[in-house]
Amino acid sequence: MGSRQIAQETFDDAVQENITEFEMDPEEAVREAVQQFEAQGVDLSNIVKAVRQPASENGQKQKHEILLTLDSLRRSVADSDLTEMAEQLVLFTEQCKEQLAFRYLAGQHGAYSVVFPAFQMASGDRNLMLKVFYALSAILDGQPDLLDSAGQDLLLQTLKEYAEDAEMTLAAIRCVRHACLKHEQNRQDLVKGGVLPLLTGAIVQHGDSADVVRTAASALRIMTFDDDIRVPFGHAHDHAKMIVLENDGLRVLIEAAKAFTDNASVLSELCATLSRLSVRNEFCQDIVDLGGLHFMVSLLADCIDHPDVVKQVLSAIRAVAGNDDVKDAIVNAGGTDLIVLAISHHLANPQICEQGCAALCMLALRKPENCNVIMEGGGALAALQAMKAHPKEVAVQKQACMLIRNLVSRSRDFSQPILEMGAENLITEARATHKDCDDVAKAALRDLGCKVELRELWTGGKVMFLCGEMSKSGPGSEDGNFENRDKLTEP
């Protein structure tokens, strides 16, 4: 996708020129304009790719349909015509949901300043308030910058005053979710305003509503994101701790899962959120003690044919396996066999292969006994098959290399069987293809007993060796996350 951008008016002028100057029909004119700009490396994701509606008789300029609807909504708000406003809100929401370009264009033309006053007019009329929230959610989707402090207060007030109303709560939480995705300031402001207990409270209050539980869990998970590129340091870790320590988040989520044993989408979302909250050693253990591991393993077994669910469960298992005691609990619960089965069953899915190898890698870390179980269950072979199936996927190659390295670093007897599976060629190929795999691939090759080239660095009187290239005392130390290791180690 191109990095250059243009204004909607620029695109519209190009379309109009194709129609008037080159006598193209509207559809052809749009296609030609799209090809023209994309050939120049222009990003058209925020551009409405359609012909503007014809000018009206009163001399108004041509406009896109979304802007005509916005004008009608604006007039109904100005005239305090609640019946017309309700109709226009529904139409506006439907159009905004069609694509981001419509929402973006509406946002650029003051949609937020039209929708927000509509809520004040709708006060007391529950159905109309819901329509306003649906419209607000639609325009905030992909445009969190539109929300201001007054809007934040409105969302928090609604969640407090309508806590017992599932439909109103759901509508407000959807707005919170869209407002916080890729927007650190909104997250921090809403957390300071008390949104976390409101979200966990909604899960408890409406534990029988799949939509509320799923959406509230998703909103909690987003509070732990660090996805706003404009902010160098976010509060993701702090928010995760607040959810667990101050709002009993782990218990709330795991208890909620018990009401949806047959609802894979809800359980998948709860797993994803639990994985984001596994930021401390004791939190991982708490998840096991509260029954979280049991439901993860059961979910993986029951939903092995659903790739989206499998991916989330593997990610959650990988996260909680950061605790050494939890590693043993996962193995004892039969988790390794299910992980290997998931990789084999979804071998064509690179994300599942990555998460599966990563989970096995964590289980093998510092645990020779677990390595035996993984080897006996075919974990090494599954990882190598994943490497073979996805040679261009650096994440798969990396995690598989790390797994192989952890399997053999304390269990040298596994080296020969793994080499006989073709590991050396696959790891060497990964190293040659992906620069990011260089360190982990060399470490894996070294601990497998393969020949690895040594390169020295002179650092003021000491000879240093690149990480993983030399070990005088046998196998190198294993590591579940090579990205956090020091780049240089003394022999």
Side-chain angles (χ1 to χ4, degrees), residues 346-490:
H346 298 280
L347 195 59
N349 188 315
Q351 293 178 318
I352 289 179
C353 289
E354 174 198 350
Q355 292 298 331
C357 289
L360 292 175
C361 178
M362 290 300 296
L363 294 175
L365 178 62
R366 297 186 297 272
K367 291 286 186 177
E369 301 85 0
N370 293 350
C371 293
N372 291 334
V373 177
I374 293 170
M375 285 294 296
E376 290 174 1
L381 180 59
L384 295 174
Q385 288 175 334
M387 293 183 73
K388 189 180 297 185
H390 305 284
K392 296 182 179 179
E393 296 287 342
V394 62
V396 175
Q397 301 296 315
K398 238 178 139 174
Q399 293 298 337
C401 286
M402 291 164 71
L403 169 59
I404 296 301
R405 193 273 176 102
N406 282 359
L407 287 173
V408 300
S409 63
R410 298 194 185 194
S411 305
R412 302 292 283 181
D413 291 343
F414 294 148
S415 295
Q416 190 58 36
I418 291 176
L419 287 172
E420 290 174 359
M421 297 176 192
E424 183 174 6
N425 289 338
L426 288 170
I427 296 173
T428 301
E429 183 180 347
R431 180 186 175 191
T433 305
H434 305 287
K435 183 178 179 181
D436 288 345
C437 281
D438 192 53
D439 283 346
V440 294
K442 282 187 289 188
L445 290 171
R446 177 203 62 198
D447 286 356
L448 281 168
C450 302
K451 182 179 179 181
V452 182
E453 176 188 0
L454 295 176
R455 286 183 294 146
E456 296 180 354
L457 294 180
W458 180 257
T459 58
K462 290 184 178 180
V463 177
M464 310 290 283
F465 294 86
L466 290 182
C467 175
E469 290 186 335
M470 180 175 183
S471 174
K472 289 185 177 179
S473 57
S477 62
E478 58 201 310
D479 196 325
N481 186 355
F482 280 71
E483 293 178 348
N484 294 329
R485 292 189 60 190
D486 292 334
K487 294 299 182 183
L488 299 174
T489 55
E490 272 190 90

Side-chain angles (χ1 to χ4, degrees), residues 163-202:
E164 297 182 0
D165 187 327
E167 197 171 6
M168 192 72 76
T169 297
L170 177 61
I173 292 177
R174 283 174 175 161
C175 292
V176 169
R177 185 184 180 282
H178 290 316
C180 292
L181 191 61
K182 297 186 179 180
H183 203 294
E184 180 64 21
Q185 193 59 55
N186 281 346
R187 282 194 287 260
Q188 294 184 21
D189 290 343
L190 287 169
V191 168
K192 288 177 183 177
V195 77
L196 296 183
L198 294 172
L199 292 174
T200 54

